[in-house]
Structures are given as structure tokens and as C-alpha cells.
Amino acid sequence: CKRLYHYCSLDTLMIILKSKTLRFSDITKSNDRKEVIYILDLYKDYLKENFPCNELPINGLDFEFKKAIEEYKLYCFCMSEKGDLLSQWRGYALNGGVSIGFNKKELEKYFQEYKIIGKTIELNKIEYISKNSASKVNKVFESWNNEFPINNGGELLRLSANYKDIGFKEEKEWRLKFNSFESDFNNSALPEVEGYSNKSCIEFTCYNNGKDIKSYYDIKIDLDLIEEIIIGPNTDLSVNTVKAMLQRYNEKSQGRIETEVKYSNINLK
């Protein structure tokens, strides 16, 4: 694929264009929290199938995984190969929104040069598996050589960012991601990127109706990475307004807007 699309509300579109940032969220506190648990379930199935009951090293695994979620943070920005997909509009822009199409090759190149606390932002394609076709992830489990459950919570969490249940295959998801530990929070500033003077630091916000607080990073991007914007169904926004916004907030364009802006072909009514 040549482009990767991020579905979002109009408020989020405004934030991305005005601040020139993408928000990387803690995957363990996202709408897709269940998919993090999915890899744990696969691991339990693997243990049950490959170890006698008296040797089953499953005791304490839930605790180790919960501990890893507390200590190990995985930040992601999610996209899809499909820019006009009904399920994505329903999930992320039901009451109005857009999908923002990034040049995949240039996006990957941009973040290959962007270091965070000594770590690299990676672009990964999600692999969709079922409990009956988990041979690839089982090979990863085998490589751990019986060293479980101790210290495998973090490994399970890292794996969870690469795999999803086959029931979500239609999404054709890709993720920009990086990891961090709670201990990194005291040194949480991101290094400067050429062309930008401000550093990105870890931030916090309430979620789940005010019952919890989650961390995130707003990471600077070049708006020239945006090649297309699709205005979603149930959205009153006009093509001309989007083009005017791109002109206003992308100073590098000097009035030349090459981003394609169009309407969705899907009708939700």
C-alpha cells in the first residue's frame, strides 16, 4: 500500500493540523484493551498444550502480565490501509470525521530518524491470527525456553502490539509504536527534530469517564506527509474548508496545496 489512513473526529483533525503532532497513546488504556489480553490467552493455550499439568508454569502469569502493564508502557498511533471503510467510520467517526492519508514510505522514513529516550519509533503491519492458526506466535513462545512466567509479562505486552484476532482482519491495521518504562518518565523529553524548536514530553489526561488517568506523547510531524484527506459520511465539512485549513497551518506549502481532499463514497444513513 502507498498510503496509511488514520480515522478521527473533526476536533482531532484540527489538533493535528494546528499543533503538527500525532498522539501516541498507551495501548493498555485504549479502546482496544481487549486485544492486549488476547495474546495472554494464546500464551495460556500454548502452555496447556505443551506442558503436563504438574509442570504447567501458568501460576502467577496473570500477576506478571498485570505487573508488566503497570511498569512497561507501549505507545501507538494506529492507521489502516483502507481510507474509506464502513467499520472504521462507525468506530471512530460515526458523528462526523475524516480519514487522514499519510504517504507510507515517507512516514516510515521520517520516524526512522526520530529517537525517543534512546528507542526508535517502528512502523509495523498487524498480523491477524486465530487460536487455530497461531503457529507463528507459538514459535515466539517456544523461543523463551521455559523461562516463564518470570519477566515474560513485558514480552507478552510487546507481542500484543503485533497481533490481533482474525475477526478484525478487515481493518488492515498498521501501527507506529515505541515502548517506555515507568522509570523513563523522569527523563521523558523527546529530542528536538530539525525544523521544530519544541520538545515533546509525556503528558497525562483523564479517561474512562474520569475514573482513570492515562499517559500519552504528542509527537511532531511534517504536514507534507499528509497526501489525502477523506471527509466521512455524516460530516458537513466541505472540501474547500479542509483545503483552507491546510493552507493556513502548513506554512511550508507556501499556498500550494497538493493534498487530495474528497468525500467518502459510503452512506451511513
Side-chain angles (χ1 to χ4, degrees):
C1 64
K2 294 183 178 180
R3 291 174 181 170
L4 295 174
Y5 297 85
H6 179 70
Y7 290 77
C8 63
S9 66
L10 298 187
D11 283 339
T12 299
L13 171 66
M14 289 282 293
I15 291 170
I16 290 173
L17 295 182
K18 292 178 73 173
S19 67
K20 302 177 182 64
T21 61
L22 301 180
R23 178 159 295 185
F24 284 60
S25 300
D26 179 355
I27 193 174
T28 66
K29 296 186 176 183
S30 69
N31 294 333
D32 299 325
R33 181 180 173 87
K34 289 183 179 179
E35 70 192 41
V36 177
I37 305 300
Y38 180 64
I39 203 73
L40 176 62
D41 291 338
L42 291 179
Y43 188 35
K44 287 179 178 179
D45 289 344
Y46 168 80
L47 294 177
K48 291 175 183 177
E49 292 175 4
N50 290 277
F51 291 87
C53 291
N54 60 341
E55 296 181 13
L56 190 63
I58 203 169
N59 294 331
L61 185 56
D62 287 323
F63 172 79
E64 287 295 328
F65 193 64
K66 182 178 180 180
K67 181 181 177 183
I69 289 176
E70 292 294 326
E71 297 180 352
Y72 180 94
K73 298 299 178 184
L74 190 64
Y75 296 94
C76 294
F77 180 80
C78 301
M79 296 166 287
S80 170
E81 292 181 12
K82 302 294 184 180
D84 196 12
L85 193 60
L86 177 59
S87 60
Q88 294 297 90
W89 290 126
R90 285 176 170 169
Y92 298 98
L94 183 61
N95 297 316
V98 299
S99 69
I100 305 172
F102 299 92
N103 181 300
K104 176 180 173 291
K105 182 178 179 180
E106 293 301 318
L107 187 71
E108 187 169 23
K109 179 181 177 182
Y110 178 84
F111 281 109
Q112 281 175 346
E113 301 170 357
Y114 207 140
K115 301 289 184 179
I116 300 181
I117 317 173
K119 298 177 175 64
T120 303
I121 299 178
E122 300 175 345
L123 178 63
N124 291 112
K125 183 177 182 178
I126 295 299
E127 294 188 47
Y128 297 92
I129 56 176
S130 68
K131 291 189 175 183
N132 296 323
S133 62
S135 59
K136 188 169 183 178
V137 72
N138 283 343
K139 289 182 179 179
V140 177
F141 297 154
E142 291 171 8
S143 70
W144 292 348
N145 297 322
N146 301 338
E147 295 178 3
F148 32 60
I150 299 173
N151 296 327
N152 276 11
E155 294 297 329
L156 285 169
L157 190 56
R158 280 190 284 271
L159 277 179
S160 71
N162 297 331
Y163 298 95
K164 291 182 73 168
D165 188 288
I166 199 168
F168 297 98
K169 187 176 181 180
E170 181 192 41
E171 296 176 353
K172 295 186 179 299
E173 185 176 347
W174 289 68
R175 287 175 178 165
L176 284 165
K177 64 175 184 175
F178 71 92
N179 61 273
S180 179
F181 288 90
E182 289 286 358
S183 58
D184 291 330
F185 288 178
N186 292 328
N187 183 28
S188 57
L190 302 182
E192 295 183 10
V193 175
E194 183 178 357
Y196 298 106
S197 58
N198 296 327
K199 291 183 178 181
S200 299
C201 296
I202 194 168
E203 299 289 352
F204 299 88
T205 186
C206 290
Y207 87 112
N208 194 21
N209 296 320
K211 297 178 181 178
D212 199 354
I213 291 176
K214 64 180 180 179
S215 56
Y216 65 89
Y217 282 89
D218 283 341
I219 296 181
K220 289 288 186 179
I221 62 160
D222 187 335
L223 293 184
D224 284 345
L225 295 171
I226 300 175
E227 285 193 336
E228 182 181 16
I229 293 179
I230 300 176
I231 300 171
N234 290 347
T235 305
D236 297 331
L237 182 64
S238 72
V239 167
N240 287 338
T241 298
V242 175
K243 288 184 176 180
M245 290 167 60
L246 289 166
Q247 273 190 327
R248 168 65 178 83
Y249 297 118
N250 189 3
E251 296 87 353
K252 290 175 60 179
S253 70
Q254 296 181 341
R256 300 186 305 274
I257 298 301
E258 298 180 0
T259 302
E260 180 182 3
V261 183
K262 63 183 182 181
Y263 297 105
S264 168
N265 292 319
I266 293 176
N267 188 352
L268 288 179
K269 297 178 180 181

